[in-house]
Amino acid sequence: MNKIKTKLFLLIFAALIPNMSLAVNFASIEYDVPIDYSKIDKNALADQANLLFNHFEQITDEEYRKKYIQALLNRYAVLSVMDPSDPFYFTRLGILYDEMGNDTLAMSNFFKATNLVPNYQYASFSFGNYYYKRGYYRKALYQYKLAAGIVSPYSYQRFMKMGSVYEKLGNFKLALDAYKSAYQEQNGLELYNKILLLEDLNSKNMLYH
């Protein structure tokens, strides 16, 4: 998706919500006037948000990623109000606030998602990423365990992060198990060499149990 398509998304969004006035300051969303939700096509808005988010996930340049956050926050904030029983929208908001480094709002939305559906794998996985990035490895591991069974591509990422956490905590046996599971999902030379190294350490009784 190029920049023209992104601008087109924003124009469509504005047309869908004619009575809505948003003030987004990357910390909160305030509504200057009441929103007439009857004017909003929820499915169309969700499709736009998810398409834009899928592209957002593929961007590696941090500055370029920031350009998408406001538009995504607008959409998912509205969707979370329209359907407050769906943990998916709160999870996406948590991910976006995490991206911005807003710990308070990121945690608030992750907790909303997990309180709505305690075994919601996507929220647990995303919450695990939140803790992992901040160095809270035991909390991250707890969330990753709750995300067991999450589908690809998140399943591969989950196993890799768990392997990394176990390495950091000194449990190389479980790190090896996690990396082997990741390799079954997506093989690669670097991961293969890491597995060989851990297996070699294990054969020499150098692994910590």
Side-chain angles (χ1 to χ4, degrees):
M1 182 184 302
N2 55 34
K3 294 183 178 180
I4 295 176
K5 290 183 178 180
T6 302
K7 291 180 179 179
L8 182 59
F9 269 151
L10 296 175
L11 290 173
I12 294 172
F13 178 67
L16 281 170
I17 313 178
N19 295 324
M20 175 177 169
S21 175
L22 290 177
V24 183
N25 61 7
F26 292 106
S28 64
I29 297 180
E30 300 173 352
Y31 302 107
D32 297 327
V33 296
I35 300 173
D36 185 356
Y37 290 102
S38 66
K39 303 292 186 181
I40 303 173
D41 184 335
K42 176 177 171 291
N43 292 331
L45 180 58
D47 287 343
Q48 292 172 22
N50 295 334
L51 184 61
L52 193 60
F53 189 91
N54 290 341
H55 178 64
F56 170 78
E57 284 193 310
Q58 304 305 314
I59 301 172
T60 56
D61 183 85
E62 291 186 6
E63 290 303 314
Y64 188 38
R65 286 172 67 89
K66 291 178 182 178
K67 297 179 180 180
Y68 285 79
I69 292 179
Q70 181 172 345
L72 286 166
L73 279 175
N74 289 354
R75 288 161 169 79
Y76 285 118
V78 173
L79 288 165
S80 70
V81 174
M82 294 183 72
D83 191 356
S85 65
D86 192 334
F88 177 78
Y89 302 130
F90 291 112
T91 301
R92 284 281 164 93
L93 286 170
I95 292 170
L96 292 167
Y97 283 119
D98 178 13
E99 179 84 13
M100 291 163 22
N102 190 320
D103 292 15
T104 300
L105 289 177
M107 290 188 68
S108 174
N109 282 283
F110 286 138
F111 277 125
K112 286 178 183 177
T114 54
N115 285 337
L116 282 170
V117 182
N119 60 345
Y120 186 50
Q121 298 161 336
Y122 184 44
S124 296
F125 169 75
S126 302
F127 211 171
N129 290 341
Y130 168 89
Y131 283 126
Y132 181 89
K133 286 193 293 186
R134 289 158 178 78
Y136 299 116
Y137 298 121
R138 295 189 185 278
K139 289 184 177 181
L141 186 59
Y142 174 77
Q143 293 295 334
Y144 288 140
K145 288 180 178 179
L146 292 178
I150 194 170
V151 297
S152 179
Y154 302 118
S155 54
Y156 170 79
Q157 297 172 22
R158 171 179 172 268
F159 285 127
M160 289 297 293
K161 291 288 181 61
M162 290 181 71
S164 175
V165 169
Y166 281 127
E167 276 196 281
K168 294 176 187 300
L169 296 179
N171 192 329
F172 301 115
K173 181 179 183 300
L174 291 181
L176 177 60
D177 292 340
Y179 287 135
K180 284 183 175 180
S181 295
Y183 191 79
Q184 291 178 353
E185 297 270 337
Q186 182 178 322
N187 55 53
L189 181 60
E190 184 176 352
L191 179 55
Y192 179 73
N193 289 335
K194 180 182 285 289
I195 290 172
L196 288 181
L197 175 62
L198 290 176
E199 285 182 332
D200 183 56
L201 290 173
N202 187 38
S203 68
K204 296 176 180 177
N205 294 319
M206 294 180 64
L207 286 175
Y208 296 98
H209 298 277

